[in-house]
Amino acid sequence: MNNPTHLKYATTHEWSLVNADGTVTVGISDHAQEALGDVVFLELPAVGRQVSAAEAVAVIESVKAASDIHAPVSGEIVAINQAAVDGPEVINQAPYDTWLFQIKPAQPEQLDSLLDAAAYQATLG
């Protein structure tokens, strides 16, 4: 399983990248997209929405199931990837190149509770 070491991971299978401006870019892991199967629909949160860490903020649907996507940290949604909404199959093709939304963290220290690649891999068994 491919889990880039420069990312942080949640046990709910989201990856996070801290950007130079302090915002956090969020997507789903390779494990998550593989477990879902062919992604056919994506609903992302509205820009400006205030979210809490671990809150279900988006929905991803595949031919097999629907699943929630959680915010890794509390804060404000500052951007969404409309291209992923318009063509959700890109998530299966390149899960680490396909970001879903960005958050401006209210409490950046919450990032410390996310897992590194090795710890995330360990949760997968």
Side-chain angles (χ1 to χ4, degrees):
M1 194 68 44
N2 173 28
N3 297 309
T5 57
H6 69 286
L7 302 174
K8 296 278 203 166
Y9 298 87
T11 57
T12 49
H13 310 294
E14 294 84 13
W15 58 259
S16 297
L17 173 66
V18 180
N19 302 306
D21 65 359
T23 60
V24 178
T25 299
V26 181
I28 67 165
S29 72
D30 189 35
H31 172 81
Q33 71 78 25
E34 190 173 282
L36 279 167
D38 294 336
V39 175
V40 295
F41 177 77
L42 182 64
E43 180 182 334
L44 297 178
V47 171
R49 177 175 165 185
Q50 296 294 320
V51 300
S52 297
E55 176 185 349
V57 298
V59 175
I60 189 167
E61 293 181 13
S62 71
V63 293
K64 291 193 222 176
S67 188
D68 289 332
I69 299 171
H70 301 85
V73 295
S74 299
E76 178 185 352
I77 301 294
V78 293
I80 63 164
N81 185 348
Q82 188 62 45
V85 172
D86 295 341
E89 65 278 356
V90 299
I91 296 166
N92 293 117
Q93 297 161 7
Y96 295 114
D97 294 328
T98 307
W99 64 279
L100 303 180
F101 55 90
Q102 294 180 328
I103 299 176
K104 181 179 179 184
Q107 299 170 306
E109 65 276 6
Q110 290 176 328
L111 290 162
D112 296 338
S113 66
L114 297 175
L115 306 172
D116 65 18
Y120 175 66
Q121 184 64 42
T123 69
L124 302 177

